[in-house]
Amino acid sequence: AQSVTQLGSHVSVSEGALVLLRCNYSSSVPPYLFWYVQYPNQGLQLLLKYTTGATLVKGINGFEAEFKKSETSFHLTKPSAHMSDAAEYFCAVPYNQGGKLIFGQGTELSVKP
Amino acid sequence: DGGITQSPKYLFRKEGQNVTLSCEQNLNHDAMYWYRQDPGQGLRLIYYSQIVNDFQKGDIVEGYSVSREKKESFPLTVTSAQKNPTAFYLCASSDIGRGSMNTEAFFGQGTRLTVV
């Protein structure tokens, strides 16, 4: 069955430091992967998605993610954290056709001044 | 502006009551979804609908019911059979017309339901 695992339920970084949020997917999933961000008491907003083609995907707010098939990973990075990046981040894969998504457990990012 | 509107944002329910959460979209999307979010558990799919007058069960359906009488609307009813309804509920939609698996979902702002 398809699944996605996010390593670390909580990550804390200093402002200006590198952000690295980890996501691994099961090898049975199709190569479509999504990262969403959720601010407190808000819905989810798409950060970026991988479909086919270039393995390095750039998203909004300076985030990017690299699809590595050999490692079954799709880690999210940002070179320099900003206070406004504090939020919860979800990695997701599709169930199958029909638009349903399987979400990871989420990683809460804290940014210290 | 196109988007998904959930209402109300906060909802309080007494034990034994049924409540209905509203979800409306003007994106002309065929598919709509309801997810439940609990701390540390990610999002879990309750029901989804790919076409009017049809819907399918997700992973957690006990104590929930839905209807899809109009393309733009997908209300969720939380019944008294749901033993632990306190959670954050998210509605989403996606354009699945071409059957692609790389279509992202668009989310509403959520409804926080609390049992009092």
Side-chain angles (χ1 to χ4, degrees):
Chain A
Q2 299 96 323
S3 67
V4 59
T5 302
Q6 292 183 241
L7 299 176
S9 59
H10 187 261
V11 170
S12 182
V13 301
S14 296
E15 192 172 19
L18 171 71
V19 176
L20 171 60
L21 304 181
R22 301 178 186 272
C23 173
N24 288 88
Y25 62 92
S26 62
S27 59
S28 62
V29 304
Y32 303 122
L33 292 148
F34 304 85
W35 273 103
Y36 282 86
V37 61
Q38 184 182 33
Y39 300 101
N41 291 311
Q42 299 290 318
L44 276 68
Q45 178 183 7
L46 183 70
L47 270 179
L48 50 82
K49 67 177 182 180
Y50 173 77
T51 54
T52 56
T55 56
L56 183 62
V57 181
K58 294 188 182 299
I60 62 172
N61 302 338
F63 284 92
E64 59 184 35
E66 186 171 11
F67 174 70
K68 291 187 176 180
K69 187 175 181 179
S70 61
E71 299 178 5
T72 61
S73 70
F74 190 55
H75 301 331
L76 182 71
T77 61
K78 182 174 180 177
S80 176
H82 190 272
M83 296 296 291
S84 61
D85 295 326
E88 189 154 20
Y89 293 80
F90 292 94
C91 183
V93 295
Y95 266 93
N96 51 27
Q97 291 188 359
K100 296 181 295 178
L101 296 173
I102 302 172
F103 288 88
Q105 303 297 81
T107 298
E108 184 177 357
L109 175 66
S110 299
V111 181
K112 300 174 292 187
Chain B
D1 286 338
I4 301 177
T5 301
Q6 290 187 243
S7 62
K9 189 165 179 64
Y10 299 95
L11 185 58
F12 297 89
R13 190 195 93 169
K14 293 183 179 179
E15 295 274 358
Q17 278 185 335
N18 295 352
V19 291
T20 297
L21 283 60
S22 171
C23 178
E24 304 276 333
Q25 56 101 357
N26 60 5
L27 300 168
N28 200 34
H29 286 169
D30 289 314
M32 296 186 73
Y33 317 86
W34 275 105
Y35 291 91
R36 170 178 171 144
Q37 185 177 20
D38 296 282
Q41 295 192 46
L43 280 72
R44 292 180 289 170
L45 183 65
I46 305 173
Y47 274 101
Y48 67 100
S49 169
Q50 296 177 301
I51 194 170
V52 174
N53 292 323
D54 188 44
F55 51 84
Q56 308 296 327
K57 295 179 180 180
D59 299 319
I60 51 167
V61 300
E62 185 174 354
Y64 299 104
S65 65
V66 293
S67 62
R68 187 87 186 276
E69 297 177 1
K70 299 185 295 182
K71 185 176 184 178
E72 59 269 23
S73 179
F74 192 41
L76 173 73
T77 296
V78 184
T79 74
S80 57
Q82 170 48 239
K83 298 307 178 188
N84 185 23
T86 295
F88 192 52
Y89 291 87
L90 288 158
C91 180
S93 70
S94 66
D95 181 7
I96 60 165
R98 282 175 279 183
S100 173
M101 296 178 67
N102 65 5
T103 304
E104 67 264 33
F106 293 79
F107 284 82
Q109 294 300 292
T111 293
R112 186 166 297 280
L113 173 63
T114 303
V115 174
V116 297

